[in-house]
Amino acid sequence: MFDTFFLFLAGWILLGFLVMVALLFVKAPYGRHLKTKGWGTLVNARWSWILMEIPALLTFPLIVLCSNTSLSVFHGVFLTLWGLHYVNRSLVYPFRMRSTGKPIPISIPLFALIFNLANGFFLGYEMVSFHALSYPLEWLYSPTSILGIMVFLIGFVVNLDADRRLRNLRKPGETGYKIPQGGLYRWVSCPNYLGEIMEWTGFALLLCNLSALSFMVWTIANLLPRALAHHRWYREKFKTYPSERRALIPFFL
Ligand code: NDP
């Protein structure tokens, strides 16, 4: 069982790398890169966000909470971080979106649903099957865990702030794009993605297991190519786009 699970997980991580390479050439067709043909029927974006993210909110915690694992403060900490992110992403973010009526091709929420279910399953299964007893309370006070929690929380704040700045760019009824300003937008085009990647890097540091590492790889696989595509798009669209701004990592990328 041990071998089969980790074989699947290794395959899943490999798939994440392949998806990253593919996304460098094919832009995920939603938002500014929306394609109306070839990606399935168009559906409501707000409901898609809710329906594709709620399974992530539930899967991992349910597997842990319904297992025989004796829960410790450590479980409470990582489930709280998980809940913090996914309550926002599945139940708060979609209702705060400025609804411009722009739809999303159904293939995007379907891929996201599979991604969320698979990640939730891998995280939950690895936790209850192989690590139920291997996270003593002292783990929580280790330098890696403390660093992981800090990176996660800073990433969460960066992501929230960046999403809020984007939301406030449009007045009610507006549909166009503007140059985002303030916060980490001073240095990068996509601080929302930077924050999200920091969150799951911090989470991987906290859990120090393969499924958390795989989740981090998949997040980078989705968001790094999209950040590069957004950045190119901004530079082509706005002649006055700040030249010092990078795509994802200040002064570097
Ligand atoms: P985008 O930055 O593409 O868009 C976010 C929202 O802001 C959309 O409503 C968009 O409108 C609007 N917007 C973006 N740029 C501008 C602008 N310059 N002017 C006006 N409005 C703008 O983000 P995503 O939709 O890709 O992602 C949303 C959140 O979900 C992010 O926080 C991201 O981190 C997270 N996410 C996480 C993933 C993961 O793998 N963990 C994968 C994908 C997203 P419009 O729709 O019209 O473009």
Side-chain angles (χ1 to χ4, degrees):
M1 204 59 200
F2 183 87
D3 287 349
T4 319
F5 176 77
F6 285 104
L7 206 62
F8 265 110
L9 196 47
W12 181 244
I13 293 175
L14 182 65
L15 185 63
F17 279 109
L18 295 178
V19 165
M20 173 151 55
V21 174
L23 287 177
L24 289 172
F25 298 97
V26 182
K27 287 177 264 201
Y30 69 96
R32 79 197 61 188
H33 309 296
L34 177 67
K35 289 222 169 22
T36 50
K37 288 209 179 89
W39 292 87
T41 184
L42 297 175
V43 293
N44 179 281
R46 174 172 292 145
W47 282 103
S48 297
W49 275 101
I50 298 168
L51 294 175
M52 68 194 184
E53 299 295 335
I54 280 187
L57 172 65
L58 298 178
T59 316
F60 180 34
L62 278 182
I63 293 176
V64 174
L65 296 175
C66 296
S67 70
N68 294 327
T69 310
S70 53
L71 299 178
S72 69
V73 178
F74 185 77
H75 295 88
V77 169
F78 71 72
L79 288 180
T80 302
L81 296 182
W82 184 266
L84 206 58
H85 175 87
Y86 276 110
V87 165
N88 172 57
R89 183 64 70 229
S90 60
L91 298 175
V92 178
Y93 177 80
F95 291 104
R96 284 184 168 166
M97 284 168 78
R98 287 237 190 269
S99 178
T100 59
K102 188 184 278 180
I104 186 168
I106 195 159
S107 49
I108 296 294
L110 283 180
F111 282 136
L113 186 68
I114 294 168
F115 163 72
N116 282 331
L117 286 172
N119 283 313
F121 168 77
F122 282 129
L123 280 161
Y125 192 84
E126 181 171 357
M127 178 62 63
V128 301
S129 306
F130 307 114
H131 300 299
L133 301 172
S134 59
Y135 287 114
L137 195 53
E138 299 80 63
W139 184 275
L140 201 54
Y141 309 123
S142 71
T144 350
S145 297
I146 292 170
L147 181 68
I149 293 171
M150 279 167 50
V151 172
F152 182 99
L153 290 175
I154 294 169
F156 182 65
V157 172
V158 167
N159 178 265
L160 281 186
D161 178 70
D163 278 347
R164 181 184 59 82
R165 286 176 193 275
L166 286 183
R167 196 164 46 240
N168 291 341
L169 286 174
R170 289 180 181 148
K171 297 193 183 73
E174 282 186 346
T175 55
Y177 292 90
K178 300 173 187 173
I179 301 180
Q181 305 289 353
L184 283 186
Y185 285 103
R186 262 167 264 166
W187 293 290
V188 289
S189 295
C190 301
N192 49 346
Y193 299 160
L194 173 63
E196 179 105 18
I197 290 171
M198 285 175 70
E199 284 179 61
W200 301 117
T201 304
F203 202 73
L205 280 171
L206 174 64
L207 292 194
C208 272
N209 70 25
L210 200 60
S211 44
L213 178 76
S214 129
F215 191 28
M216 184 192 84
V217 167
W218 269 91
T219 303
I220 297 172
N222 284 329
L223 297 182
L224 171 63
R226 192 163 170 83
L228 296 174
H230 275 20
H231 188 61
R232 272 196 307 273
W233 181 94
Y234 275 125
R235 293 177 74 144
E236 281 164 17
K237 182 164 174 76
F238 298 104
K239 297 291 163 249
T240 56
Y241 198 68
S243 57
E244 71 284 2
R245 215 178 270 193
R246 298 282 191 253
L248 188 67
I249 303 174
F251 314 110
F252 180 65
L253 178 74

